[in-house]
Amino acid sequence: MEKTKIDWCESTWNPVTGCLHRCEYCYARSIAKRFSYEGATLDAPPELQRIWIIDSKGSGYGNHVLRYPVDTIDGKKVPYPYGFAPTFHKYRLREYQKKKSRNIFVCSMADLFGDWVPDEWITEVFSACKAAPQHNYFFLTKNAKRYAELGELLPSNNNMWYGISITKESEVHNFNFLPAFRNTFVSIEPLLEDFCVEQHNILFRQVDWFIIGAETGNRKNKVVPKREWIEEIVYECKGNNKPVFMKESLKDIWKKPLIQEYPL
């Protein structure tokens, strides 16, 4: 995708789509459902190749591989033919190889580091990044322990950034799984409750960049963060000389010009 509404990056790139986290506030799930193909089963058109991945516990994940794009089926555009089921779009691996340098959010429509994603998919994405070193690549996951499991498979290139998504106090400890000796960031979006930031000074000393955003959409129980929640995070970032990027979703809450700093 050449353009994106995600204001902290210039492009999104989705060689892998789909996620099994089931977050109730997820924007990507509704997008994938809208542009899916209801008949994507074993008797689907031949261009939809299906594979199965079995984890160590013996449970089955329905993962899919597409070697060629599916432009339309029955006259309908289907960029996500399997909906939000994990799908590897192998044909997208070289999309940015010859494009001008930019900041790219990798897999905005997936969690590339979910437990259901095979190591092979991840390493192929990394190889594609290495083949186009002119870009900065930002990875974001709710499953940061996968970083630790991959270990040395994680490239340490200066243009690679590894992030974790945090929404509430009980998730803050997951920053400990961020990889050492690599660029790291934390996305606090959507901000669902007040953080006890004074208890997490190590977090603000060790992480390189912070993004803050509010929940978007029209979910019934949508959470609107309080201004003081945001102020506490920004204060801690400033006290540790860490850049912070406030998303446009905070505009009506913050009231003042948004702070939009980059680590690059």
Tab-separated table of all heavy atoms in Angstrom, residues 19 28 53 65 74 107-108 143 145 156 171 179 219 223 240:
chain	number	residue	atom	x	y	z
A	19	CYS	N	-4.940	-12.476	12.033
A	19	CYS	CA	-4.522	-12.502	13.433
A	19	CYS	C	-5.536	-13.317	14.239
A	19	CYS	O	-6.731	-13.344	13.912
A	19	CYS	CB	-4.446	-11.073	13.968
A	19	CYS	SG	-3.868	-10.940	15.668
A	28	ALA	N	-8.502	-3.872	12.160
A	28	ALA	CA	-8.088	-4.651	10.986
A	28	ALA	C	-9.055	-5.786	10.690
A	28	ALA	O	-9.271	-6.130	9.523
A	28	ALA	CB	-6.678	-5.195	11.209
A	53	ILE	N	-0.988	-25.594	9.692
A	53	ILE	CA	0.136	-25.565	10.610
A	53	ILE	C	-0.338	-26.161	11.940
A	53	ILE	O	-1.373	-25.746	12.465
A	53	ILE	CB	0.642	-24.131	10.837
A	53	ILE	CG1	1.013	-23.485	9.496
A	53	ILE	CG2	1.810	-24.107	11.807
A	53	ILE	CD1	2.152	-24.183	8.784
A	65	VAL	N	-1.436	-19.778	2.195
A	65	VAL	CA	-0.366	-19.188	1.400
A	65	VAL	C	-0.925	-18.800	0.045
A	65	VAL	O	-1.574	-19.619	-0.622
A	65	VAL	CB	0.809	-20.174	1.206
A	65	VAL	CG1	1.838	-19.587	0.260
A	65	VAL	CG2	1.464	-20.497	2.543
A	74	ASP	N	-15.800	-13.462	-8.596
A	74	ASP	CA	-17.217	-13.163	-8.842
A	74	ASP	C	-17.463	-11.663	-8.904
A	74	ASP	O	-18.490	-11.155	-8.444
A	74	ASP	CB	-18.096	-13.784	-7.755
A	74	ASP	CG	-17.977	-15.297	-7.710
A	74	ASP	OD1	-17.717	-15.892	-8.773
A	74	ASP	OD2	-18.130	-15.881	-6.624
A	107	CYS	N	3.204	-5.339	8.304
A	107	CYS	CA	2.081	-6.163	8.777
A	107	CYS	C	1.136	-5.402	9.700
A	107	CYS	O	0.865	-5.818	10.845
A	107	CYS	CB	2.582	-7.443	9.435
A	107	CYS	SG	3.421	-8.542	8.269
A	108	SER	N	0.620	-4.290	9.201
A	108	SER	CA	-0.399	-3.537	9.939
A	108	SER	C	-1.710	-4.307	10.021
A	108	SER	O	-2.562	-4.000	10.851
A	108	SER	CB	-0.638	-2.185	9.263
A	108	SER	OG	-1.174	-2.366	7.957
A	143	ASN	N	2.759	-10.068	21.131
A	143	ASN	CA	3.354	-11.319	21.585
A	143	ASN	C	4.874	-11.188	21.601
A	143	ASN	O	5.582	-11.885	20.883
A	143	ASN	CB	2.909	-12.455	20.658
A	143	ASN	CG	3.338	-13.822	21.156
A	143	ASN	OD1	3.255	-14.107	22.347
A	143	ASN	ND2	3.797	-14.669	20.253
A	145	LYS	N	7.144	-12.117	23.496
A	145	LYS	CA	7.978	-13.273	23.859
A	145	LYS	C	8.510	-13.979	22.603
A	145	LYS	O	9.531	-14.658	22.668
A	145	LYS	CB	7.196	-14.250	24.725
A	145	LYS	CG	6.028	-14.926	24.014
A	145	LYS	CD	5.323	-15.918	24.935
A	145	LYS	CE	4.188	-16.631	24.187
A	145	LYS	NZ	3.502	-17.627	25.054
A	156	SER	N	19.709	-7.355	13.285
A	156	SER	CA	20.117	-6.235	14.144
A	156	SER	C	20.431	-4.987	13.325
A	156	SER	O	21.026	-4.043	13.842
A	156	SER	CB	21.349	-6.633	14.972
A	156	SER	OG	22.416	-7.033	14.130
A	171	GLU	N	-0.335	-5.222	31.006
A	171	GLU	CA	0.481	-5.632	29.860
A	171	GLU	C	1.867	-4.987	29.842
A	171	GLU	O	2.712	-5.366	29.041
A	171	GLU	CB	-0.250	-5.276	28.555
A	171	GLU	CG	-1.580	-5.967	28.385
A	171	GLU	CD	-2.368	-5.437	27.200
A	171	GLU	OE1	-1.990	-4.382	26.635
A	171	GLU	OE2	-3.372	-6.068	26.832
A	179	PRO	N	13.795	-7.171	22.254
A	179	PRO	CA	15.155	-7.678	22.037
A	179	PRO	C	16.232	-6.677	22.437
A	179	PRO	O	16.095	-5.473	22.232
A	179	PRO	CB	15.187	-7.964	20.531
A	179	PRO	CG	14.158	-7.042	19.957
A	179	PRO	CD	13.076	-6.952	20.985
A	219	ARG	N	-17.113	1.334	18.582
A	219	ARG	CA	-17.424	0.189	19.439
A	219	ARG	C	-18.303	0.627	20.607
A	219	ARG	O	-18.127	1.719	21.167
A	219	ARG	CB	-16.124	-0.426	19.949
A	219	ARG	CG	-16.303	-1.712	20.753
A	219	ARG	CD	-14.957	-2.349	21.029
A	219	ARG	NE	-14.163	-1.557	21.970
A	219	ARG	CZ	-14.166	-1.726	23.280
A	219	ARG	NH1	-14.953	-2.637	23.822
A	219	ARG	NH2	-13.386	-0.986	24.064
A	223	VAL	N	-13.358	3.130	24.793
A	223	VAL	CA	-12.721	3.849	25.903
A	223	VAL	C	-12.118	5.157	25.394
A	223	VAL	O	-11.348	5.150	24.429
A	223	VAL	CB	-11.619	2.992	26.560
A	223	VAL	CG1	-10.884	3.798	27.632
A	223	VAL	CG2	-12.216	1.724	27.149
A	240	ASN	N	13.085	11.225	30.489
A	240	ASN	CA	14.114	10.268	30.088
A	240	ASN	C	14.646	10.554	28.682
A	240	ASN	O	15.328	9.710	28.093
A	240	ASN	CB	13.557	8.847	30.159
A	240	ASN	CG	13.404	8.351	31.575
A	240	ASN	OD1	14.350	7.889	32.190
A	240	ASN	ND2	12.197	8.468	32.121
